[in-house]
Amino acid sequence: MNNNLKLGVDVVSAHNLLPKDGLGSSSAFVELYFDGQKFRTTIKEKDLNPVWNESFYFNISDHSNIHYLTLDVYVYNNVRATNTRSFLGKVSLTGTSFVPYSDAVVLHYPLEKRGIFSSVRGELGLKVYIIDGASIKSSTAAASVESLSSKDPNLTHVDNHTANGRVESRHTFHHLPNPNSRQHHHHSPAPEVHHHHIPNHIADEMKPEPPPPKLVRVYSEASSQPVDYALKETSPSLGGGRVVGGRVLHADKTASTYNLVERMHFLYVRVVKARDLPAMDVTGSLDPFVEVRIGNYRGITQHFDKRQNPEWNQVFAFSRERMQASVLEVVIKDKDLLIDDFVGIVRFDINEVPLRVPPDSPLAPQWYRLEDKKGERVKGELMLAVWIGTQADEAFSDAWHSDAATIVDSTPVTSISLRSKVYHSPRLWYVRVNVVEAQDLIPAEKNHFPDVYVKAQLANQVLKTKTCQARTLNALWNEDLLFVAAEPFEEPLILSVEDRVAPGKDEIIGRVILPLHAIQRRADDRIIHSRWFNLEKPVAVDIDQLKREKFASRLHLRVCLDGGYHVLDESTHYSSDLRPTAKQLWRPPVGILELGILNAVGLHPMKTREGRGTSDTYCVAKYGQKWVRTRTIVDNLSPKYNEQYTWEVFDPATVLTIGVFDNSQLGEKGSNGNKDLKIGKVRIRISTLEAGRVYTHSYPLLVLHPTGVKKMGELHLAIRFTCTSFANMLYQYSKPLLPKMHYARPFSVMQLDMLRHQAVNMVAARLARAEPPLRKEVVEYLSDVDSHLWSMRKSKANFFRLMSVFSGLFAVGKWFVDISMWKNPITTVLVQVLFLMLACLPELILPTIFLYMFLIGVWNYRYRPRYPPHMNTKISQAEAVHPDELDEEFDTFPTSKNSELVRMRYDRLRSVAGRIQTVIGDVATQGERFQALLSWRDPRATAIFVIFCLIAAMVLFVTPFQIIAALAGFYAMRHPRFRHRLPPVPINFFGRLPSRTDSML
């Protein structure tokens, strides 16, 4: 770790400060406090909009504790007559928002009050970053530094320096959770394990437990679907203990990291290297490789050409269920064209293999003398380490696994693509290009006023401005063009000015090439300064002409990387991440999400092998920027994964998505052209999970095919959400769902659709370049790229959702009609008495309504849902869908119909109907959120609303109704000066409530 890192703070400027000197102005200065150190800027006399541009650098005493430190910035007015100061505002920043210098931008923070009676206004512009202190050159202090020795002995005096040039820090500070836990599965059921093959000192621990009763409760609501499609709660025995009703019974205190999956034992063999191997070829050398064998299973290392001292450093893991022999054999062979030559062997008795349980240190490898087949020593030694451990072993994730390898078309499958992996999607930015104007354009043809436009290209994204007729050889556009870019930036931004000399014929006047890493970044909507760029000819021209035309044509641009937005690369209904791109705007995490992918049962065969149906399945889970992939279980319709993963949760209004896929890349018939087939997926909304509870459910994998809905099997999961900051989580319910820039400078619907399409393609392209690749069809399926396309089935489903929402109003209307018709005289009389009482005492109306809602919410607590929502075929209108509607839903877009006229009309109808479908779905979503206020679907949101109802009932009970009505009316008609661009707290709270979109198939 670099111990010379410093915290840099650039105090840039302040805006619209409060006048405090009695003459309509203030003499402002800034004081900064961090980790016992204090700095002070110069005083700007009589200026409500002072500009400092001063830099300060704090020493960081403990780099590991930086996330818990706070930078406090105070703005004061200097009163020269009395040598005192008055408070103008403050800004407090936590260590979680500190970023490297390369990511830092100037942010304008609204000044906060020091106390309830403080009066402040205005903003303070700061740039805060982590920087390498060795690269900071000392110079004359740019601002005065106040010594604190006489004021506070606990504070340290620190000299400040100015940074010359741009310095990038190689250390990025983030508050990360524990290392990801990854646990794997068993393979298909193996013959019974005999205890004489297991070491005696662990035989009792490895004794198989009797399988617990798996099915506990089946959820199938009256308005939902058949029992076969319903969610099933299970009671498995996991590493932390038996789970019953969300609680862990008989907890094992030693299993802290891998407590959401079943504990499994493996025989690990680490093949390190060999030395002094004998010569086997006539050339006096050999091509060695190692074969590790136990029973019928074997693992093979790579071979080296002509090397007598090879190094492999490869780990092999054999499942406990696979150990059908008592002897482990490690054989060195010489690679040959026909038959591999035997070099030497090392044998181990399984009963002698030691047990290693983390956090024990790794087992040190040892040198072993090679023997021939008769047991006599031969030349050469092999360095090995052999032990028995669990999936908690750090070697587990990188090991070759016996239960993930089999024989496919007589070819051993040992590819790295079968292993579990963790992927991180690239950091996405919006690139905003404001094309202002062009000057001194030289037309492609003489005596011709150019009809010019600007074409901007970033990778495969191409956008054009409108055509402008440049009658004075100058053109004005003032248009915004938006792109998506991914770090690290590989492609430059190319802008070319083109002249339309004839229909279908364009000539390039000049172009500008801008590398993205040199473009200015911003995290808010501050103004970006424009620049003039000289247009360059795209091809070589005559030297004299080049001299005449050099710098003749210019293009006026504003270009920036907008980091204040969240780049939408998922369906907005199922987003797993809502943070802005700029890391300094991130808030601290509110919790930890743990996922245990246990097993799948009853999977449908996805391919045929040796005359029988089979599947080679793996799971992919996506949350935030982190994608995880389990290892592929080959040739098994009931695979056991037993892998555990962890994510940080920054917002409870997000969704975890898990998909199951069939690996189509195995065997001779597999090729890169084959797509991995989708088996089904599961969505879990974090806000529907109670903190600390372990959810163990078996989820049906439902997929819609052209022939109708099909259940492809069941996926068994264990999920736990742990809240690390309850106050921050409740605070999230008052914040907007998306970052501030989405409301300050919103995008149009068309722009969002286009940008989301580009973002998904960019993420898919980057993940497809990983090893093993995460294929494009997997990324698109988990990102719901086709959720916006027209479907008659979805439109009908959204309509019935809307009718279900309004059914409550219809029921109230029917009830009132029954009251009016005196169908039950006693009820009618009671209602009339209540109505008369409220008419005479109107101040009781609102308290009564809120009190009733409080009582209803408390009553519904008994019937709150005890499980996360899942796919519902009845809500999705997938049970009895018409074949013609399915043919339309699975038709290509554009349609594959023959008639051009029908194609045009059909596509237009689907496009328009898709918009209507979205509007109906949004209306239904709002109504379902009203229902979610008291349904305990989101337990924290309902608890907040129920407590609010109780407090509102009591406040309204003692407050005259006239005062409440007057305050409400004046608040609704308040002056625009007292309004904010961001939505109010009630709207933000309402927007975070869950709806039944999570149950949409």
Side-chain angles (χ1 to χ4, degrees), residues 559-764:
V559 187
C560 69
L561 292 169
D562 260 334
Y565 292 95
H566 168 67
V567 180
L568 295 166
D569 60 338
E570 305 168 283
S571 171
T572 52
H573 293 300
Y574 313 121
S575 289
S576 63
D577 191 5
L578 301 170
R579 295 172 295 173
T581 301
K583 291 184 178 179
Q584 60 264 44
L585 297 179
W586 290 6
R587 297 189 175 275
V590 299
I592 300 294
L593 177 66
E594 298 168 276
L595 170 67
I597 304 176
L598 302 179
N599 55 56
V601 295
L603 296 181
H604 279 209
M606 304 300 291
K607 63 183 64 169
T608 302
R609 182 177 295 142
E610 298 178 358
R612 58 184 177 84
T614 186
S615 290
D616 308 319
T617 60
Y618 64 91
C619 297
V620 177
K622 190 251 193 270
Y623 185 77
Q625 291 183 321
K626 179 178 173 181
W627 300 65
V628 299
R629 169 178 176 159
T630 69
R631 58 201 177 106
T632 300
I633 306 299
V634 179
D635 196 15
N636 197 334
L637 296 179
S638 296
K640 294 183 179 180
Y641 303 100
N642 278 316
E643 302 188 22
Q644 184 171 334
Y645 298 94
T646 305
W647 288 269
E648 280 188 322
V649 176
F650 291 86
D651 196 318
T654 47
V655 176
L656 166 71
T657 306
I658 307 106
V660 185
F661 301 88
D662 177 74
N663 195 328
S664 300
Q665 316 308 313
L666 303 182
E668 295 179 356
K669 296 180 181 179
S671 64
N672 293 330
N674 292 343
K675 291 186 176 181
D676 289 353
L677 303 178
K678 58 186 180 184
I679 298 178
K681 65 183 170 185
V682 176
R683 301 191 195 103
I684 305 293
R685 185 172 291 272
I686 309 304
S687 63
T688 62
L689 303 177
E690 296 180 11
R693 178 175 177 177
V694 180
Y695 290 86
T696 53
H697 291 87
S698 183
Y699 294 83
L701 299 172
L702 304 176
V703 176
L704 194 66
H705 289 280
T707 56
V709 66
K710 287 185 179 180
K711 179 182 177 182
M712 307 299 292
E714 295 183 0
L715 181 64
H716 193 195
L717 302 175
I719 304 168
R720 176 171 55 207
F721 169 64
T722 305
C723 179
T724 57
S725 178
F726 189 71
N728 285 342
M729 183 169 59
L730 295 185
Y731 180 66
Q732 284 292 330
Y733 281 93
S734 67
K735 301 299 294 181
L737 200 62
L738 293 171
K740 177 181 177 181
M741 283 291 290
H742 287 270
Y743 306 97
R745 299 191 66 177
F747 296 136
S748 67
V749 176
M750 295 296 293
Q751 284 177 320
L752 284 177
D753 287 344
M754 182 268 294
L755 294 173
R756 176 173 174 259
H757 175 72
Q758 297 293 346
V760 172
N761 288 340
M762 202 161 292
V763 171

Side-chain angles (χ1 to χ4, degrees), residues 75-147:
V75 184
Y76 293 105
N77 169 53
N78 182 50
V79 184
R80 180 178 296 180
T82 59
N83 197 23
T84 59
R85 60 188 182 183
S86 56
F87 180 76
L88 292 176
K90 72 170 186 176
V91 173
S92 295
L93 303 177
T94 60
T96 55
S97 64
F98 300 160
V99 297
Y101 186 89
S102 59
D103 286 337
V105 296
V106 178
L107 280 176
H108 296 273
Y109 299 93
L111 294 175
E112 303 172 357
K113 296 182 178 181
R114 181 168 54 183
I116 191 173
F117 299 109
S118 299
S119 178
V120 301
R121 79 178 189 194
E123 300 174 335
L124 179 64
L126 299 173
K127 184 177 182 180
V128 184
Y129 47 87
I130 302 291
I131 193 169
D132 190 349
S135 61
I136 302 174
K137 298 181 180 178
S138 300
S139 62
T140 304
S144 61
V145 182
E146 181 179 341
S147 176

Side-chain angles (χ1 to χ4, degrees), residues 45-87:
E45 299 287 348
K46 306 294 183 182
D47 192 353
L48 294 180
N49 300 284
V51 177
W52 288 282
N53 284 325
E54 299 175 9
S55 300
F56 306 91
Y57 300 95
F58 295 92
N59 294 325
I60 301 175
S61 58
D62 186 359
H63 304 88
S64 62
N65 198 39
I66 190 172
H67 298 93
Y68 305 102
L69 299 178
T70 302
L71 170 67
D72 294 314
V73 184
Y74 292 85
V75 184
Y76 293 105
N77 169 53
N78 182 50
V79 184
R80 180 178 296 180
T82 59
N83 197 23
T84 59
R85 60 188 182 183
S86 56
F87 180 76

Side-chain angles (χ1 to χ4, degrees), residues 825-864:
I826 298 178
T827 304
T828 302
V829 170
L830 291 176
V831 171
Q832 288 182 343
V833 171
L834 178 63
F835 174 75
L836 181 62
M837 181 180 65
L838 295 178
C840 296
L841 300 172
E843 61 270 15
L844 296 181
I845 295 177
L846 290 179
T848 302
I849 293 175
F850 281 105
L851 185 60
Y852 280 177
M853 295 174 70
F854 167 76
L855 294 175
I856 292 173
V858 172
W859 178 262
N860 287 345
Y861 179 77
R862 297 175 55 193
Y863 310 103
R864 68 190 186 278

